Each structure stands twice: as C-alpha cells, then as structure tokens.
C-alpha cells in the first residue's frame, strides 16, 4: 500500500535532503576506509548518507563511464571519479538541487574534473540508451515509489554487458504501519 | 526481494555480495532522521527487532550482451 503520492514523496525527500547537515562523518566512518576518504572535502565525507559501498564492489577500471544514481553530496561520485581516472567520466545524478550543487562543489574542491553532475529523476534518467559502462547507487532506490521503473532506466542507460552495483535497504519483516505512514521513514 | 526485482527487469548474473543487519542505532547516525523519529521507532518497533530493523545489501548485476546499446567508453 502506498501512503504517499509520488509528488508528496518527492517533496518530502527533497526537503529532507536539502536540509541535511552533519559535522561529523558518522556514516562514512562505518562504510569507507580512511585512506579512501583522504583528500576529499569534509562536506562530502560528513554528508555521506549511503548504506553500503557499491563503488568498491563495482571494481571500476580506468577509462570507464559511471553513473551514480542519487549522488547526494557526492562521496561515491568522487570515489568513482578517482577510480576511473582522467580517461574516464562519472555522471552524478540527483533530484535535489541542493545536493547537485554540493556534489559539483565537492568535485571541484577535490580537483576532479572528470565529474559531471545533473539534476534528474531516477525514474527518467536524462541519459541516452547504452551510454554508460557502470551504474552505481547507494541507498537511493528505496526512496522511489516506482522502483521497477527506476531499475528499468538503469538497464536502459547501461551498454550491453555493463554492470550495476546497487546498495540499498531491504525489509525482510513488515514494519509497523505507523512507521510506514511517517514522513521521516519515507525519507530514509 | 531486491535480487528478484533486479532479475525481473532483465539484468543477469544478479547476486547479493554484501548483507548486513541495519538497526535503529545505525539509523540514528543519519542526519536525515530527527531524534524524535528515532525515539518513535524505539517505542513502536518490538525490542527484538531494534538491531535488525531492515538489512543493508549490495547487489551486483549485468546487462545481458546482445541487448543493444553502444560502448560508452
């Protein structure tokens, strides 16, 4: 059962993530090794909001083109950009304008000029068919009210043989209904 | 389950490569969850699920070859 319309859900998520602030890397310190984060802007590290480390599992190679769906403040985009090197390219995508700006700023501060950041929806990716080698996403698919549509878009933009590395939260036992009806639960 | 959904979309070689319990304490470290929401969860979720509210997973998959598209590199 859906407790929020698509527009309500997007509005709640945009507002929540635009307002997010953090001074300490509470999430990042549990997901990433210290040497992986070295040289990255503090804002990208402290606002890491993922739930896994898809970039590590994606085994990126120099020269690859990567799409980070729901890039947030950019930590996985930066990690991917470093992995693919100057001959590769990473496209960070987020539906929240504040996060798009944060990732752009953090990529510039990190000196990574192989990063492009776009505003857009995961259910309607603003990329051509078969245009990326790898799609990564970290804790974002669960925010969509149209998950199959979002996955179909990821499949569409991948080249044949391209790879998906998806970190997300899954529910194995139903949560109490009052939790499902709450806006903060939707935003996470 | 997420792997089934990914496979049904048309991906192949779908596999879960990491799977960890994600409890209320972990959730509390995310700045998108206000403290009052965390307190609310502790009240309404049975105590035996506080350490396994949900699971964090990493799923890998591949787009089948011969399904169109051009190499991106």
């Amino acid at each position: 059962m859906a407790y929020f319309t698509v527009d309500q859900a997007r509005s709640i998520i945009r507002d929540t993530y635009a307002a997010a602030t953090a001074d300490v890397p509470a999430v990042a310190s549990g997901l990433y090794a210290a040497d992986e984060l070295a040289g990255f802007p503090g804002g990208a590290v402290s606002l890491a909001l993922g739930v896994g480390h898809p970039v590590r599992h994606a085994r990126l190679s120099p020269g690859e083109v990567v799409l980070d769906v729901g890039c947030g403040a950019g930590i996985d985009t930066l990690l991917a950009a470093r992995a693919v090197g100057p001959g590769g390219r990473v496209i960070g995508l987020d539906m929240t304008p504040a996060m798009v700006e944060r990732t752009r700023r953090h990529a510039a501060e990190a000196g990574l000029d192989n990063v492009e950041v776009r505003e857009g929806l995961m259910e309607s990716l603003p990329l051509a068919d078969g245009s990326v080698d790898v799609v990564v996403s970290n804790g974002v698919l669960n925010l969509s009210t149209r998950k199959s549509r979002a996955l179909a878009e990821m499949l569409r933009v991948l080249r044949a043989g391209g790879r998906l590395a998806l970190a997300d939260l899954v529910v194995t036992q139903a949560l109490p209904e009052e939790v499902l009806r709450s806006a903060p639960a939707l935003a996470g | 389950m997420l792997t089934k959904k990914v496979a049904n979309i048309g991906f192949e070689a779908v596999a879960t490569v990491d799977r960890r319990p994600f409890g209320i304490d972990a959730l509390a470290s995310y700045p998108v969850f206000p403290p009052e929401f965390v307190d609310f969860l502790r009240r309404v979720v049975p105590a035996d699920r506080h350490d396994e509210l949900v699971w964090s997973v990493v799923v890998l998959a591949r787009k089948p070859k011969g399904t169109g598209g051009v190499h991106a590199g």
Side-chain angles (χ1 to χ4, degrees):
Chain A
M1 171 183 281
Y3 296 101
F4 300 92
T5 66
V6 171
D7 288 343
Q8 284 173 330
R10 286 177 182 159
S11 176
I12 290 167
I13 291 163
R14 277 196 181 103
D15 291 348
T16 300
Y17 282 81
T21 60
D23 297 325
V24 294
V27 175
S29 61
L31 295 177
Y32 308 102
D35 62 331
E36 290 180 296
L37 302 174
F40 285 164
V45 176
S46 63
L47 268 179
L49 299 174
V51 299
H53 197 333
V55 172
R56 176 185 295 154
H57 290 285
R59 298 178 182 275
L60 300 175
S61 298
E64 287 190 309
V65 176
V66 180
L67 169 66
D68 180 9
V69 176
C71 61
I75 188 68
D76 293 305
T77 295
L78 302 188
L79 286 165
R82 192 182 270 169
V84 301
R89 187 164 59 102
V90 180
I91 303 155
L93 179 107
D94 207 283
M95 74 167 189
T96 302
M99 287 303 194
V100 168
E101 285 310 309
R102 283 169 173 158
T103 296
R104 278 195 186 125
R105 187 173 68 246
H106 293 151
E109 289 173 3
L112 293 164
D113 57 10
N114 58 344
V115 171
E116 173 191 344
V117 192
R118 300 184 189 181
E119 183 180 334
L121 299 171
M122 70 177 112
E123 301 88 355
S124 170
L125 295 173
L127 283 94
D129 297 1
S131 58
V132 304
D133 297 301
V134 182
V135 171
V136 299
S137 187
N138 197 355
V140 173
L141 184 67
N142 69 87
L143 302 176
S144 176
T145 54
R146 301 170 68 204
K147 295 175 180 59
S148 293
R149 172 70 186 175
L151 287 168
E153 279 291 275
M154 295 176 194
L155 183 70
R156 178 184 66 78
V157 302
L158 277 171
R159 67 168 170 83
R163 311 180 317 273
L164 171 69
L166 178 67
D168 208 15
L169 297 177
V170 296
V171 178
T172 56
Q173 274 185 276
L175 294 168
E177 188 167 329
E178 54 262 60
V179 174
L180 300 176
R181 287 182 179 280
S182 65
L186 174 75
Chain B
M1 199 57 195
L2 182 57
T3 50
K4 189 172 181 181
K5 194 179 285 279
V6 171
N8 286 344
I9 291 298
F11 284 96
E12 65 179 18
V14 182
T16 300
V17 294
D18 195 9
R19 186 173 189 272
R20 302 170 193 222
F22 192 96
I24 295 176
D25 286 345
L27 182 141
S29 67
Y30 287 71
V32 293
F33 298 113
E36 54 270 27
F37 176 68
V38 176
D39 292 341
F40 164 73
L41 286 178
R42 292 192 199 284
R43 286 197 312 275
V44 302
V45 174
D48 64 354
R49 289 193 61 193
H50 284 192
D51 293 333
E52 292 183 10
L53 189 65
V54 294
W55 289 78
S56 67
V57 298
V58 178
V59 172
L60 299 183
R62 188 174 58 226
K63 182 172 180 173
K65 292 182 178 173
T67 53
V70 295
H71 190 280

